[in-house]
Amino acid sequence: MASAILASLLHPSEVLALVQYKLAPKTKYDYSNNKTRERLYHHLNMTSRSFAAVIQDLDDELKDAICLFYLVLRGLDTIEDDMTIDLEIKLPYLKTFHEIIYQKGWNFTENGPNEKDRQLLVEFDTVIEGFLELKPAYQTIIADITKRMGNGMAHYATAGINVVTNADYDEYCHYVAGLVGLGLSEMFTASGFESPMVAERKDLSNSMGLFLQKTNITRDFLEDLRDNRRFWPEEIWGKYVDEIKDLTEPENKEKALQCLSHMVVNAMAHIRDVLEYLSMIKNKSCFKFCAIPQVMAIATLNLLHTNYMIYTHENVKIRKGETVWLMKESSNVDSVAAIFRLYARQINNKSNPLDPHFVDIGVICGEIEQICVSKYPGSTAELHRLQAGVMAGTSGNVLTAAAVVAGAIALKNVIA
Ligand code: D61
Ligand code: MG
C-alpha cells in the first residue's frame, strides 16, 4: 500500500482513490460456511490479480458460475502455457479438457515446478466439484466454450503452426479470449439479467476478448519471447525486422517503436465494438464486471504506446493507484466513455509525427471521440469532472507543494 501511494504521489486523484480504497469498510466475502466454496475463491484470488475483484462483486446468481468458468479455463490455460510439457502429452489434455471437468477427483501434477498456477491443477478436483454443482445451463455453456478453446489452443500449439497473418492473430485471440466473451454473454442472457440481444451479438462479445488479449500480448512481448512463445503476427513484425527477436536489438530501436505502434493500432480497432457492447449491458454488477477490464486495457495501451520499455523490461504495468482510480470511476457508460476519451487523447498526444502510424492512430482516436460525443453525450460533462480530478493539486500544469504534502501525509499515515 505504501509503495502504491509513493508511486502515485504525482497523481493526487490516485492518492485519494487509494486512501478511499484502503479505508473502505471491508465487505470481505465470507465463504467459511462452505469448504468447497472457500477453496474455490482462494484459487480465484491466487490465480488472478485483475479478475478476482470484479468476479466477487457480481450478483449471487452469476458469481459462482463465472468464478468456475474462470477457474476451468485458467486450468486449461495452465496446460497450454507450460512449455516444459511435451506436445504429445499436452495436445490430448487440451482436446479433452471439456470431458475432464466431469470426472470427479481428477487432478494434474505434471506441470513444471515454476508454472505459476500449477497448484490450481494439483487441486483441480475442487474445481470439478464446484462445476458439477452449478445449474446445468451454466455447465453446458462452460463445457462448450472449454471444448472450442481447447481445440483452438491445440491447433496453435501444434509444431510448425504459428501466428503468421493478421487473420491468424485474430483467430488465436478468438480461441483464448473471444470465446470467453461469447460464453459470458450467454451466461448474462441465461441468468435473465441481460436481453437475448447480448448473446446474439457474438461479433461484439468476441471484440471484448480480443481487445483484452491483444493488449496483453503487446505488453508481454519480452516475457513471451523469453519463454519461446510468439504471438505477434509475422504480417506485422515482418515489416520491420527479419527475425522477431531482432526487435530487442538496440540498433533496431526506431523500427521496434514503429512495430509497437502498429500493434497498438491493431488492438485499438476493437474499441468501437467494446463501446457498443458496453452500451447493451443494463445490470449494474454485470456492467462493472465488463467495463473495468476494458478501461484497464486502454490505460495499459496508453502506457505501452511509444514506450521502448516493453523491449527491455518484463513488468510494464499501470500503477496500482491508476487501477483503483479506474475501478472507482467505471460505474456507468458515460463515465466509461469519458475514460476512453481521456486515454484516447493521451495516446494521440504521445504519437510521434514521424511514425508511419501517426495518422492511423489519430483517425482511431478521433473516431472514439466522435462515437462518444454522439452516442454518450453525458460523457462530456464526465470528462470535465475526471480532468478536474486529474488536475487537482496542480497549478498551470505544475503539481503544487500542497498536493505533494497531502500525498506524503497519506503515505505517512499508512506506514504508521
Ligand atoms: C467481459 C468481462 C471479462 C472478459 C470478457 C468480457 C471477455 C473476455 C475475457 C474476459 C477474457 C480475457 C482474457 C484476457 C486475459 N488473457 C489471459 O488470461 C490469457 O489466457 C487466455 C486463456 C484463459 C482465459 C481465462 C479467462 C480469463 C478471464 C476471464 C475468464 C477466463 C472467465 C470469466 C471472466 C474472465 C493469458 O493468460 C496469461 C496468464 O496465464 O496469466 C494467456 O495465456 O495468453
Ligand atoms: Mg495461454
Side-chain angles (χ1 to χ4, degrees):
M1 186 64 185
S3 67
I5 294 183
L6 186 60
S8 290
L9 215 48
L10 302 182
H11 306 267
S13 59
E14 293 177 16
V15 175
L16 176 63
L18 280 165
V19 170
Q20 287 173 340
Y21 173 79
K22 169 87 183 170
L23 295 179
K26 286 250 179 317
T27 50
K28 260 292 165 210
Y29 318 96
D30 184 12
Y31 306 114
S32 57
N33 59 337
N34 178 326
K35 202 88 191 80
T36 302
R37 276 189 102 219
E38 191 173 14
R39 284 316 285 165
L40 291 172
Y41 284 89
H42 166 80
H43 283 301
L44 175 67
N45 285 297
M46 292 305 289
T47 56
S48 174
R49 309 144 303 283
S50 39
F51 292 110
V54 289
I55 290 175
Q56 289 180 100
D57 275 339
L58 279 163
D59 285 346
D60 284 338
E61 170 61 25
L62 279 172
K63 185 170 157 171
D64 290 349
I66 292 184
C67 174
L68 279 152
F69 189 29
Y70 176 83
L71 292 173
V72 164
L73 297 180
R74 180 56 63 216
L76 175 68
D77 183 54
T78 300
I79 297 179
E80 186 211 24
D81 288 355
D82 192 334
M83 302 303 271
T84 72
I85 302 174
D86 288 337
L87 266 188
E88 62 264 40
I89 295 177
K90 183 186 281 194
L91 294 181
Y93 280 115
L94 295 178
K95 290 184 204 168
T96 62
F97 209 73
H98 64 284
E99 292 165 357
I100 289 176
I101 56 180
Y102 288 94
Q103 294 172 24
K104 278 199 176 136
W106 184 90
N107 289 308
F108 184 80
T109 55
E110 314 294 300
N111 276 120
N114 296 324
E115 196 56 38
K116 69 178 172 52
D117 299 325
R118 104 179 279 285
Q119 196 59 29
L120 172 66
L121 285 169
V122 169
E123 298 177 40
F124 208 70
D125 55 321
T126 316
V127 176
I128 295 172
E129 199 177 313
F131 170 75
L132 292 172
E133 281 171 17
L134 294 176
K135 286 184 183 166
Y138 296 133
Q139 288 185 24
T140 306
I141 295 167
I142 294 173
D144 169 61
I145 298 297
T146 303
K147 181 177 183 177
R148 293 161 69 185
M149 186 182 294
N151 281 294
M153 284 173 164
H155 175 77
Y156 278 94
T158 303
I161 294 179
N162 238 317
V163 179
V164 178
T165 64
N166 290 346
D168 293 341
Y169 183 45
D170 280 25
E171 185 184 61
Y172 176 75
C173 293
H174 164 73
Y175 287 136
V176 303
L179 284 173
V180 178
L182 266 65
L184 289 170
S185 296
E186 284 182 25
M187 289 171 131
F188 295 160
T189 297
S191 71
F193 286 148
E194 301 296 339
S195 89
M197 183 64 89
V198 172
E200 280 163 23
R201 292 302 303 270
K202 297 186 200 297
D203 54 333
L204 302 182
S205 303
N206 188 50
S207 292
M208 291 287 284
L210 262 60
F211 185 55
L212 302 181
Q213 186 66 17
K214 287 182 172 184
T215 300
N216 282 3
I217 285 179
T218 304
R219 180 195 61 199
D220 296 339
F221 174 80
L222 201 57
E223 181 186 339
D224 289 332
L225 185 73
R226 188 245 294 148
D227 293 343
N228 239 341
R229 283 188 285 264
R230 312 288 145 97
F231 297 121
W232 288 25
E234 187 176 345
E235 189 175 340
I236 292 183
W237 62 256
K239 288 192 163 72
Y240 308 96
V241 285
D242 294 331
E243 278 189 82
I244 191 166
K245 64 170 173 47
D246 295 345
L247 286 168
T248 61
E249 299 293 337
E251 71 261 30
N252 295 329
K253 180 168 180 178
E254 195 178 332
K255 289 284 174 203
L257 283 169
Q258 294 177 1
C259 185
L260 173 59
S261 52
H262 201 150
M263 292 294 288
V264 170
V265 173
N266 181 289
M268 288 184 80
H270 301 289
I271 294 176
R272 161 192 286 283
D273 282 355
V274 165
L275 289 168
E276 190 174 350
Y277 182 91
L278 291 175
S279 73
M280 296 192 298
I281 303 300
K282 298 292 173 251
N283 174 277
K284 197 174 163 63
S285 83
C286 291
F287 183 83
K288 288 200 88 164
F289 167 75
C290 290
I292 289 170
Q294 304 293 331
V295 297
M296 286 174 60
I298 194 167
T300 300
L301 278 185
N302 174 47
L303 177 65
L304 304 181
H305 184 48
T306 71
N307 187 351
Y308 189 69
M309 287 257 289
I310 68 139
Y311 294 112
T312 59
H313 292 75
E314 281 188 19
N315 252 316
V316 182
K317 294 244 164 78
I318 56 174
R319 293 178 299 277
K320 168 87 175 169
E322 197 167 0
T323 301
V324 172
W325 180 77
L326 287 167
M327 295 179 84
K328 169 178 118 171
E329 300 293 353
S330 298
S331 46
N332 60 71
V333 77
D334 284 334
S335 309
V336 168
I339 291 171
F340 271 91
R341 288 171 73 179
L342 188 74
Y343 283 108
R345 289 178 185 190
Q346 290 190 32
I347 289 172
N348 198 223
N349 287 342
K350 283 201 296 185
S351 277
N352 173 4
L354 300 177
D355 185 281
H357 301 96
F358 180 73
V359 175
D360 297 338
I361 289 178
V363 168
I364 296 183
C365 293
E367 232 174 58
I368 293 171
E369 192 82 30
Q370 173 238 310
I371 292 171
C372 292
V373 168
S374 64
K375 282 191 164 164
Y376 316 108
S379 69
T380 301
E382 273 303 295
L383 182 58
H384 292 147
R385 189 184 63 77
L386 292 179
Q387 280 171 329
V390 169
M391 296 313 280
T394 65
S395 166
N397 255 346
V398 179
L399 200 63
T400 62
V404 180
V405 169
I409 291 170
L411 182 61
K412 184 168 151 272
N413 287 336
V414 167
I415 296 171

